[in-house]
Amino acid sequence: MPETEILIRGAAAVVTMDGARHEIAGGDVLIRGGVVAAVGQGLSTTGEVVEARGCVVTPGLVNTHHHLYQTLTRAVPGGQDALLFGWLKTLYPIWGRFGPEEMFVSAQVGLAELALSGCTLTSDHLYLFPNGARLDDTIAAAGEVGLRFHPTRGAMSIGESDGGLPPDALVEEERAILEDCIRVVDAFHDPREGAMVRVGLAPCSPFSVSRDLMRDAAVLARDKGVMLHTHLAENDEDIAYSLAQFGCRPGQYAEELGWTGDDVWHAHCVKLDGSEIELFARSGTGVAHCPCSNCRLGSGIAPVRAMRDRRVKVGLGVDGSASNDAGNLVAEARQAMLLQRVARGGDAMGVREALEIATLGGARVLGRGDCGSLEAGKRADVAVWDVSGVESAGSWDPVGALLLCGPTRVTHLFVEGKQVVRDGQMVTIDLPRVVERQNRLAARLMG
Ligand SMILES: [Zn+2]
């Protein structure tokens, strides 16, 4: 049976993110099966045609850090104006009442929000498993929504009674954590090109697990050939904790425990100093930059300009929807651009660089050489943005308009050649029903 073809035709601009960063005016993208068959002008097909006049076509955006379950605890009053540690202590008891249904529904909401904002590949960091919740719940959600998914099996093992931050009821035994890591990798991880699910290992943070668990997770990840992820150097409290508890900065702690390398990426890294940036560059360690969350929690401005200048791999993360509290990935790309300008001046980061971080940059962080650009042979993960609407009316450059003006939602989205968003609506799930179910669960949590 011949593979199905879809031709996205006549875009105002196709942003390829190929080696030369070509942009094609009046460009087409031909999808065959799950891959990009051709990118150019005047392409034809006997299959389906999607008209893209007035649109910018980009590679699907890549989200490298999220906690999908947190869509159920957005804008919680006690956490709205707190710093990181106070914010966590407000939310832990609420998260402790979650179960499998909460994990599944909140993930569907978060994934749909990402899809509508141009995301085709997302990671997730789930580090608490109360009342029978499992990583499997979020993987099932991603299967229905249709996004390419890199769930990470997180963990917390040091509770309050041992000097950690989380309540004892939310932490797990370290042996049980490692056993479940093995289970989910064996059950779900797909190392092949074009994989829709890849699993990573992700103890929550240096302040919620032991040194032993960090080291054991690194050994296990290398044994299984999967990636490692955690939070690092998020704010001043985080640095102070590292100096007091471990006698060193977070970068050194990570290096000592095997947490640097091409198969590791760390979220935030707001407070990395020059030598830590050098370490990340030298070792190929990646960064998930989460500008909205960093603003929301007042954590600071990550030194992304310095990281990029030293060729550190940087991708974007919306971070959890309790610390953003949105999960709009194209808005995150705009915020990344604006925040570097606040720190370093108006020429610190341009639209094209922010788009590169949001696509190719994220794909590199997640070890996906098969994603992140629109080139023949790459996976057909494509976002189509209508820049003919009111937000960008009068703009002189359609690609510039995407981040400087809007829109903040896609018109069409394809993942592995399958349409997930059509004419601005989710086609894989009944979103109004999912939202209604989510609001019912939120009402129940509020009591
Ligand atoms: Zn996070």
Side-chain angles (χ1 to χ4, degrees), residues 7-10 49-53 55 384 412:
L7 178 64
I8 302 169
R9 185 167 69 186
V49 174
V50 174
E51 294 293 348
R53 193 138 56 112
C55 295
V384 181
H412 306 296

Side-chain angles (χ1 to χ4, degrees), residues 20 43 79 92 135 165 191 218 222 244 248 274 305 315 333 385 402 429 439:
L43 303 179
Y92 282 142
L135 199 68
L165 204 64
R222 277 150 194 153
C248 63
R305 180 72 274 144
W385 311 85
L402 184 52
I429 57 169
N439 286 331

Side-chain angles (χ1 to χ4, degrees), residues 248-399:
C248 63
R249 292 187 51 87
Q252 192 185 343
Y253 185 69
E255 188 180 26
E256 277 173 13
L257 297 174
W259 276 77
T260 51
D262 207 35
D263 54 353
V264 183
W265 83 106
H266 294 288
H268 300 299
C269 301
V270 172
K271 297 292 177 181
L272 288 194
D273 68 11
S275 67
E276 288 167 314
I277 291 173
E278 244 357 278
L279 167 67
F280 275 45
R282 197 168 62 238
S283 57
T285 309
V287 170
H289 173 46
C290 307
C292 287
S293 170
N294 298 158
C295 290
R296 158 76 163 81
L297 291 170
S299 300
I301 302 176
V304 172
R305 180 72 274 144
M307 292 174 186
R308 294 266 307 168
D309 289 346
R310 297 301 306 141
R311 299 191 177 278
V312 173
K313 292 183 296 189
V314 181
L316 288 183
V318 296
D319 201 3
S321 303
S323 68
N324 184 318
D325 295 313
N328 185 307
L329 193 51
V330 73
E332 205 71 38
R334 173 177 162 89
Q335 187 76 2
M337 175 184 76
L338 297 180
L339 202 51
Q340 288 309 300
R341 294 175 181 214
V342 172
R344 304 281 295 261
D347 59 354
M349 183 176 290
V351 167
R352 268 106 178 146
E353 185 175 12
L355 278 176
E356 180 185 316
I357 293 171
T359 54
L360 196 59
R364 284 180 174 162
V365 165
L366 295 182
R368 295 302 299 246
D370 54 345
C371 300
S373 63
L374 298 177
E375 298 174 84
K378 295 291 169 104
R379 309 319 297 184
D381 293 359
V382 189
V384 181
W385 311 85
D386 185 353
V387 290
S388 69
V390 65
E391 316 91 340
S392 35
S395 69
W396 292 33
D397 167 20
V399 180

Side-chain angles (χ1 to χ4, degrees), residues 65 67 231 268 319:
H65 186 64
H67 311 286
H231 295 97
H268 300 299
D319 201 3

Side-chain angles (χ1 to χ4, degrees), residues 119-141:
C119 175
T120 51
L121 162 61
T122 185
S123 149
D124 186 47
H125 188 181
L126 181 57
Y127 52 83
L128 38 88
F129 301 89
N131 308 308
R134 300 191 303 169
L135 199 68
D136 315 37
D137 304 320
T138 59
I139 294 171

Side-chain angles (χ1 to χ4, degrees), residues 87-108:
W87 171 86
L88 281 169
K89 287 190 160 193
T90 301
L91 293 169
Y92 282 142
I94 305 172
W95 296 336
R97 303 206 297 274
F98 278 39
E101 186 185 8
E102 282 78 7
M103 292 301 179
F104 176 81
V105 176
S106 58
Q108 284 208 320

Side-chain angles (χ1 to χ4, degrees), residues 205-223:
S205 62
F207 55 79
S208 55
V209 303
S210 74
R211 193 183 282 263
D212 285 345
L213 185 64
M214 291 293 286
R215 189 177 282 121
D216 290 348
V219 171
L220 177 59
R222 277 150 194 153
D223 181 47

